Structures are given as structure tokens and as C-alpha cells.
């Protein structure tokens, strides 16, 4: 149960089977930092590739394909005072004809973060939305494990291995579960958002570099098909795909399986519970693969 | 501001320009009943057509194309003690290959409603989910106004006129706004659900006949493109289409317009607010047209 | 086997259960005319509603729900010398970001039709594509039968009843089969295109009024689920829905059923034949419902 | 203009930046072989990984990011006498409810290839489709160049780099153009199909090992965004994505750009030509990314 303080020196813009930067054990904690989506660090220096450069990979001792890796976010917090957003809705989230009314050029939005007070304030460009201050709600947009089959997948997108899911539910306190596809699992973390709406519909959260602390646990011989997560109130299955319909299909299928394998429900029970109680959240509708979270409240789950 | 007690005698399984059953004024209240989705009334008698037979249409005096009709749900409550659900996930909400693992036949699920205690308890078929009791959360699945262009649209589906949106946010206390397409607006209501999960993913809520009380208000010369709604905490724009991506596009476009026309935001302001604060809910992913709700918390809206 | 010369006096912009304009018998032929998509007749007079006003409905004696109506196009030909097209790709058929490069305003394209020579020549606006002359390939964009359930469906869109399918395979010489949903079937025809590309991706064919001659045959007690068609070389099943994936699913399912019910194939045979021999055409990707044609060459069908 | 006879010794199931197996020059020809989709060679030995193992990568001297690589298929022909297909439609290509009627288990279909006569005959399992013989129409399902950004993409799917497009238009005689993303381009070839229908809707063509001969040409400083192709009659732009709608958007956008950049058309001209003359083909609707081909007949292109 060691705690490792790790200072990254290089970053990856794809998630694949690269040389590990640190080997850690089941139960260990890592304290590290991540760059923002554009490759800039806490001092604003451009030190990593685009998009969404990753810190890692971290090799988890004993992890083998067919296991599940649990990653608990102990701490997620911005480590500098300026964050950046797009100021125009992504053309793919509005009616195609409405795009004809869009400005052809836009300016990057700049936010001032109060790291003690826990707020983000929009500072430019000028808009009559101002003054506009939001509470910080720090989350990781892109993180995951090395995919199967020798793939190295761009940090622009996501899949069964995680990646750029941009789901605002990946907050401090959440535990995320990944299928292990390669020896050592090879965990990557990056792409902190100080705040993000559902769907990441301008194509960004408030992009900023982060301090990150996480703890890993290994579940041997436990095979899952998609990332899963858990917080105080819900269990959550993630689906990543386009269109949204397919992301929802993946997430719902994974949840139906989960309820039967881990909560002992028969099929009628699992389907009936989902039918009247399921909750969905839209992670992102911007990246090449969209993300849907399928949630069930712990309060209605069978006790196991 | 009259209150009309209306007992329906016939029902429609499509929403169109039919002979009004009652003429009411701006500000009036109607107290009536609706059948369940299968056409059965409070006594369990089959008295209406399938699917989702509607009570109405109600003619609102003075309503003209280009106006907006506000419908406030004063009271929504089941009026009998048995409700029905499907017990199998709809094949379109899971991975296509997972359907191969589904039972070919299924039995209808039966729920006992405690109308005083406010609960629904699953009574059959037998499943190890039992005992399973949920708090009532009564909502209307299908309601709307006569569409434009002489259309009569099946109560299986939805569109700019409303219809079978199956969105669990349409609760007592909500106000729903419809574009008026024909003289008198011609409002229909039906398809009560005692409880429903996001997405209506088994293809039903807990289907039951309802007591319904609503009050209408007319907003003259106010043109909207999609149903909108409002509750204590949020404003909500609705998009109805397939796939989910397009429903989300409609809802997001309507909300972007709303923020600019009614809340005085410039485009950068509207898009920035949406980018970091929008919330989405999935109404249904079962009906021919899916439904997405695009929500903004009133707490962050400019005061107007 | 009478031939009826019918001069329309009113037109419908929705397909529904309206008062028939003419009653015809199984085997009868109708010679009539259709307006263009904008409601203009052979003399260029605006005499009908938008969009895609229909001539009809024609009541076919003896047609009952559960029957199939065959409509053979004996003759389809423009009846005036000017046709019209949009000159900008529909925003929904290109990458959403590419729409930002589109002109906000566009001018209607005008074509001169040589009805004897059988050509269409683009005459304005000015473009360096000119001179640009295409052979006429006249087809009907929108036609169908009254839908089930009391629906009246806008001529903007399509469904199991046909409607605005905008499929360039609906040419003179083709036979189209419709499910009969109401007594008399109630056949409508309209929306001639002198030429059209796959997908109708500018949102129009070369829109023009038409002379239309068709002959009907009734197949009693023969239930189909989607429009089907046949020409010299192929049998064709049509699916109408959004997105394209679902239109393709409908068309493929209908064809799989057709091969088994009418050509005697077992399931392995039907699926194997489709797997290696199916051909798809994209009718339209512009209308609210898209259209996919699933085709099998008659040359490889079992002889029946 | 050398001709290289290359015998592969290892194969890749992902397309990425791997060590080249052969360095060739602009204008060179390669004569080689490919395994079938399951990793089996001409002798039926399992010698490569699944799915769709690739021969290569071939390093093209002088190729740099921003160039275009042309690959001409001089010869594509099966090199053994047994081919394999799935005998059940993929569940994602039919109506979701229709899957409930599918057999849960299926048997692989076996075809006997007459390599001299140029036919494929279905030999088992038993079906009343028999006798069933088709002319060979050999094509490559999966081939492409190393993607950008350090990605290695599974041969199950496709993208701007090509990959598993499963488009039946990639025949002997066709020239395919790829964007060059890495130094040397790194070309891979594999996954021969003796025959394939549109959409690859059973999930396979007739899968068999191939003899392949191709010739490469380098177009320096010529940037394209998606694979393009050309045959005797058409120019073709390829889009790979889900859903079909997006694959079509990519292909149409690429074609609109191509008509303007290479054929000198202004925007009105390019859009008008496409609107009335475009042809689409569906490559596959089975793989994680679907493939749409957007085609324009050379006969109507401006002479350049």
C-alpha cells in the first residue's frame, strides 16, 4: 500500500502498450500531475502532444488479461489558475441547418479559477452572460488502460479500454473499473476539466492541468466488457460508441449483465428493475465515440 | 378561469384535427380521466383504441397558429390499483448480439398500486427481484396538440406537436409549452405511467389509467418550434426524433434559441452557458421517435 | 380493365383517409397529372399545397386491410419545360464542420427540359459546370396509400405506407407493392422528378409537373410490411426511417421475409443469398425519414 | 519500377507504425500473398492472428505526411479452393425484434472455389438454396496505411487510414488513394473476399487467402482526408464511420472537395452535379465503422 509521488517527463496522445513509467502494486496510491488537453502544464508551458496527453502508463503488478482494475480517484483538483473553453456549440450537436447561423470564427474562452474558493469565472471574450461564476466540479475527461490486440487508440476517442469519455461523473470519490487487456494493465490518466456540462457540447470542459491522486485495486479473474464505475449513490456502466443509440446499447447491456452476475437477479428481475429505475447520463456527444452512462441507484439494488 | 369536469366518451389513438370535445378559455382548468396505454379505464374495461388512447381534443378559445399553449399539470394520479409493464428489455436498447440471449416469449408484469401510500409493488411473474416496491412518480407519457399540415400522427410516436414522448419529467407541477399549429390548439392527454425509468427501455412505464387535472394559458404571438417545459428548478427543451443524436440536436437548438430570445443572451453567452452547464435526460429510446430533454437550471439563468 | 382519364381539382399535402376522387377496379388504368413539389402545374400555376401535393386518393374496389396493392407505372414523363433544383448540398449530408464553409443564401437552380429529346439542361444560376445536360430519368418521389390507425402523414416524409421516398428506382416500368391499410387502399401519386441522384442530397430532384399513367392490381390476403417493388432485373424491398441504419434494417428484414415466403428458401438459404448477393441503393438522406432499397437480382433467385 | 516478389513471414491484426518488411520505390510493383480473415494461408494452415491479418507493412521511399499514396490492384485472386462465410445475417442489419426469430447457433458456410472457371459453389450446410454457384468477384476487404498520431488500429475496423472497409468495389483494376500519415506510408494488405454482397451483411464475404499484385505511385504534397479510389468508369470517395449517416457525410464531403480542387468546379457546380448525379454504395454495415462509397461517373466530369 505504498504511495508513489510521480513526476511525469513524457506524455502520450494515444493509449497503447508503451513502456511503463512506474510499476505499482495492488493497493498502491499514486500522486501525480496531468497536462491540460492542449499539452500545457501547471506553469502554462507546452510540454506534451495533443490531444489530451496522458500521464503514464502505470504498470500494475499481477494484472493479467481477464482481470478487472479498479481505480479510485482520491483527489482531482486543478493546479493552475487559468482554464480554457470553446465558445461555440459543436456543429454536430445542433440541427444541421442551424449551423448556417453560426459564426465562422470564434475566440477561445478564458476562465479564472479560484483554487481555494473553488470557483471558475468567465473572463473573456466579452459576453452579456457576465458576470458568470461556477463552482468547480473537477473531473478527468480521458483516462484508461492499454487496449487489446496491439491497438494504440488516439486520446481523441474512447472504447472498451476507456479513453476520452468526457463524462462529468468521473469525479473525486468515484471508483472506475476497467477490463485488463494486457499484462500490467498499463493505466493512463489525463485531460482534467474544472467544470463540464453533459455532453461536452462545446467540445471542451474548462480545460486545465490537474493534480491527481488515485489508488488501484486488482480484481483477479473478473471479466467485464466495458468500463464500470461506482460512487456513493450509484453503480454505473459506460458505453462508448457512435451514435448515442449504440453507446446506450453497450452501457445497458453491460448493466444488465452486471445485475445478473453480481446482484444475483434473474433476467425478469434485472430487466424489470432497469425498465422502471434506470437512469442515463450523456457523457459526451462530441468525440469520435460518444459516451453514455447507465446508472442504477444503490438504494434499490438487492443487498449482496 | 372556469373549472370543467369532463367525462370522456370516446378516445383517439392518433393526434390530429378532430372535432373538439370541449371548448375552454385561457386560464381554465379541466378535471378529467385518461385510459391506460392499452385502452382500459379505471374499472379495467377496454373502452378505447390502442396505443395510448387520448382524452380530448380540448379547444382553447383564441388559440391560433403562431401562439404558444401552456399546460400546467395540477394533478396526475393513477385511478386504479393495477398497473402493467413489459418484463423484457426492448431489443433495440441492447447490443444486437445480446438479443440472441433473450427469451422469445415473455409474460406481462403486474404491479399493485397503493394509491394512498403512494407505492407500486411488483406482484408477478415470479422473480428473485421480489419483494420490489417503488414510490409512485406519476407522469403522462403521451399528450400534445394537433399537428400542422393536416397531419394526424399515431400515439405510438412523437414530434414537434408532442405526442408519445414518454419522458419521466412530465410530472404533476410541471408546465409544458406547445407550439399552436391549428385554430383552438386542440389539446389531447393520455398514457399515464405510475412510474417510469429513463428511456422507457422495456417499452412501458407502469401503465395505468389516471385522474388528470390541468390548467391552460395562452401566450399569443409567441412562436416556439418544439415542446418546452418548466418545473421548479429547470427550464427544459424537448426534441423528438430518431436517432437519439437527432433528438438531442433538436432539443439543444431549441434551448440555444430560447436562451437568446427570452433570457437576452448573446450567442457566445448562450453557447458558453450550455457548454459548461447543460443537463440532458433521455425521455424514451423505445418509440418510433426518441425523446431527449435539454435542461438548464434556473439558478444559473440570467434574471429577466 | 378500364382506362380512366382523371383531371385533378384538388391536392393533398398529407397522405390519409380522405374522400376518394375516383373509384377504380382491379386491373384498371388511370391517366392523370401531378403537380411539382411546390404545388405548380403544367402551366406553372400555383394550384396545390406544399410540399409534394398529391393527386388522388384513388379507391380500389375490393381492397381491404391485409391485401397488397400493386401499382405499375406505365408512363412517367414531365409535362412542362422548366424544372427546379436546390443548388446547395443539404447540411445533413456533409460533415457538420463543413457546413461552416457553406454560403448562407443560395439561388434556386433552373433547368430547361427538352421533352422530345429527353434531356435537362442547367440554365441558371451561372456556374462553371455549364454547359451541363443530363438525360431525363423521370421518377415519382412521393406516392403511397392511406396509412393505418387513422393517421394522415405529411408528404414531407415516408413510412410503411410509402410517401416521400424519393428513390430514383421508381421509374416507368417499375411495379410497386403497398400494404393495404384501409378499405379501398386510397392511392395517391405526386412529386415527379425529371432526374435525381442517389440520396436526393440537395433536397430536390429536378422538380417538375408530370403526366402519369398507372395500372393497379390487387393481391388479396397477402400481407407485406413495407413497400416492395420489382423491375425487369430486380426485386426490391423498401425501408423508410431515420437513421439510414434503421431504413436498411427495415428493408433487409422485409427482403429476408420475402425470400422465405415467396421463393421458398429456408433461413440459411435466404441469409446466405443475401450475404453474398444483396445490393443496396440509398433512396434519400434528406427527408425526415430516409429511404433504403434492398435489392436482389432476379437472375439469382430460385425459380418459382 | 522494380517488381518485388515478397513472401510474408509474420502478419499484423492491427494497422500501425510497425517495422517495414520491404522498402519499395515509387512505381514499384509487389507480388505477394495474403491470409484469409481467420489467419489461414493457401494451405489452410493457421499462421496469422485474427481478425484480418495483414501482409506488410511496405515502406514507400520518399512518402511523407501530406502526400497521397496510390495503390493499383494489378491482380487479386484466391489461391486456394475453399472459402468460408457466415450463414446468418448480422443482428445489427435487421429489425431488432426480428433477431428474436434467429437461430441461436449457426454453422459456418463452406464454398468450393473453381479458380480456373472463376466460380464459387456453396457446399454446406445443407440448404434448399442449393445448387448455388456465383461468379468470383475477388476484392480486398482490409488494407490501408499506418494512421496518424501513433495509433495502431485493429483490423476489425476502419478510418481515414483505410482498414477493414469491406467494400466490394475494391477489385482488380481499381486504384485506391490513401493519405500518407507517417514517413514511408507503411502499406498493409489483407482479407481477400472471393465474393461479397453490399454491406457484408452476414459479417463475411467468401473468406479466402489471396494472391495479390499491386503497384504504388506517390503523389507528393497532395493532401486528401479520406481514402479515394478510381476505376474505369467512376471516381469514388470513401467514408468510414458509424452510423451509416456519418460514413455518408464523410464520403460526400470528401467528394465535394475533390470536385472543386481537382475538377475546377465552383461550389454551385459541384453541389449541383452531386445533387442530380451522385451514386452511393454501401461498403459494409457490419464492422465497428461502416463504409459508404460516394461515386461520380467519369462520363459527366469536366475534362481536366
Amino acid at each position: 500500500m505504498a504511495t508513489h509521488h510521480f513526476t511525469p517527463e513524457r506524455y502520450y496522445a494515444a493509449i497503447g502498450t508503451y513502456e511503463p513509467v512506474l510499476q505499482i502494486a495492488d493497493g498502491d496510491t499514486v500522486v501525480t500531475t496531468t497536462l491540460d488537453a492542449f499539452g500545457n502544464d501547471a506553469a502554462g508551458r507546452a510540454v506534451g502532444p495533443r490531444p489530451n496527453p496522458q500521464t503514464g502508463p502505470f504498470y500494475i503488478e499481477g494484472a493479467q488479461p481477464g482481470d478487472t482494475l479498479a481505480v479510485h480517484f482520491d483527489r482531482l483538483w486543478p493546479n493552475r489558475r487559468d482554464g480554457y473553453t470553446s465558445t461555440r456549440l459543436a456543429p454536430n450537436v445542433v440541427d444541421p441547418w442551424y449551423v448556417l447561423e453560426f459564426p465562422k470564427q470564434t475566440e477561445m474562452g478564458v476562465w479564472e479559477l479560484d483554487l481555494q474558493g473553488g470557483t471558475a469565472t468567465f473572463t473573456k471574450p466579452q459576453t452579456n452572460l457576465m458576470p458568470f461564476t461556477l463552482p468547480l466540479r473537477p473531473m478527468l475527461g480521458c483516462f484508461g488502460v492499454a487496449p487489446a490486440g496491439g491497438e494504440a487508440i488516439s486520446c481523441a476517442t474512447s472504447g472498451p479500454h476507456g479513453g476520452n469519455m468526457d463524462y462529468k461523473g468521473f469525479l473525486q470519490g468515484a471508483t472506475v473499473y476497467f477490463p485488463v487487456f494486457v499484462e500490467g494493465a498499463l493505466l493512463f490518466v489525463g485531460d482534467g476539466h474544472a467544470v463540464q456540462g453533459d455532453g461536452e457540447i462545446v467540445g471542451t470542459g474548462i480545460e486545465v492541468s490537474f493534480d491527481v491522486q488515485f489508488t488501484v485495486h486488482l480484481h483477479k479473474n473478473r471479466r467485464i466488457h466495458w468500463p464500470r464505475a461506482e460512487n456513493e449513490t450509484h453503480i454505473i456502466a459506460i458505453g462508448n460508441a457512435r451514435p448515442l443509440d449504440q453507446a446506450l446499447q453497450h452501457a445497458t447491456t453491460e448493466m444488465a449483465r452486471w445485475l445478473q452476475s453480481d446482484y444475483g437477479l434473474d433476467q425478469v428481475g434485472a430487466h424489470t428493475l432497469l425498465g422502471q429505475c434506470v437512469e442515463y447520463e450523456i457523457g459526451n456527444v462530441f468525440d469520435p465515440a460518444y459516451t453514455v452512462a447507465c446508472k442504477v441507484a444503490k438504494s434499490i439494488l438487492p443487498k449482496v
Side-chain angles (χ1 to χ4, degrees), chain A:
Chain A
M1 319 270 251
T3 295
H4 307 266
H5 290 264
F6 175 73
T7 303
E9 289 178 356
R10 67 157 299 178
Y11 303 90
Y12 291 92
I15 294 181
T17 300
Y18 304 124
E19 185 68 24
V21 292
L22 187 69
Q23 186 156 334
I24 62 177
D26 183 2
D28 281 3
T29 295
V30 174
V31 180
T32 188
T33 58
T34 59
L35 303 185
D36 72 18
F38 314 108
N40 300 324
D41 67 10
R45 290 171 307 202
V47 297
R50 297 185 177 200
N52 305 320
Q54 299 288 298
T55 298
F58 301 97
Y59 182 103
I60 290 83
E61 292 165 7
Q64 296 288 347
D67 299 339
T68 289
L69 179 69
V71 182
H72 182 267
F73 290 129
D74 307 315
R75 182 160 182 270
L76 298 178
W77 203 252
N79 61 16
R80 69 167 199 241
R81 293 173 51 88
D82 53 321
Y84 299 88
T85 58
S86 165
T87 58
R88 186 178 65 194
L89 291 173
N92 66 304
V93 306
V94 296
D95 290 342
W97 271 260
Y98 191 54
V99 178
L100 294 170
E101 302 180 25
F102 274 23
K104 289 182 192 269
Q105 301 297 332
T106 59
E107 201 178 331
M108 183 68 74
V110 184
W111 301 69
E112 184 174 322
L113 309 187
D114 177 342
L115 300 182
Q116 282 65 48
T119 61
T121 299
F122 192 72
T123 64
K124 66 179 180 176
Q126 188 56 41
T127 153
N128 63 5
L129 177 66
M130 296 168 170
F132 193 61
T133 296
L134 297 171
L136 296 186
R137 206 171 169 283
M139 52 159 277
L140 283 198
C142 183
F143 59 104
V145 295
E151 281 199 296
I153 296 180
S154 167
C155 290
T157 193
S158 60
H161 71 294
N164 197 29
M165 300 176 280
D166 289 318
Y167 167 46
K168 76 176 189 192
F170 290 139
L171 297 160
Q172 182 173 311
T175 302
V176 187
Y177 303 92
F178 289 106
V180 175
F181 296 110
V182 303
E183 190 190 301
L186 300 184
L187 175 67
F188 299 74
V189 294
D191 190 26
H193 297 169
V195 177
Q196 188 203 291
D198 282 346
E200 203 199 28
I201 63 176
V202 291
T204 71
I206 300 181
E207 306 290 336
V208 61
S209 55
F210 261 44
D211 288 339
V212 171
Q213 179 184 321
F214 62 86
T215 300
V216 299
H217 287 97
L218 195 56
H219 299 261
K220 292 296 299 177
N221 301 311
R222 179 172 164 68
R223 192 179 293 274
I224 63 177
H225 298 82
W226 285 96
R228 297 176 179 181
E230 183 170 354
N231 60 25
E232 267 191 38
T233 59
H234 287 79
I235 63 169
I236 305 167
I238 300 294
N240 303 316
R242 267 205 195 192
L244 270 177
D245 306 45
Q246 192 182 2
L248 182 143
Q249 290 173 336
H250 291 325
T252 306
T253 303
E254 185 72 6
M255 181 59 85
R257 288 186 163 132
W258 195 358
L259 293 179
Q260 292 173 80
S261 65
D262 285 37
Y263 294 92
L265 291 177
D266 53 32
Q267 190 170 267
V268 166
H271 289 209
T272 293
L273 184 154
L274 286 173
Q276 306 314 320
C277 305
V278 75
E279 302 168 42
Y280 288 110
E281 287 188 299
I282 294 177
N284 86 80
V285 281
F286 173 77
D287 304 324
Y290 295 161
T291 294
V292 168
C294 176
K295 303 170 62 180
V296 173
K298 289 180 171 179
S299 59
I300 59 160
L301 283 174
K303 301 303 166 244
V304 286

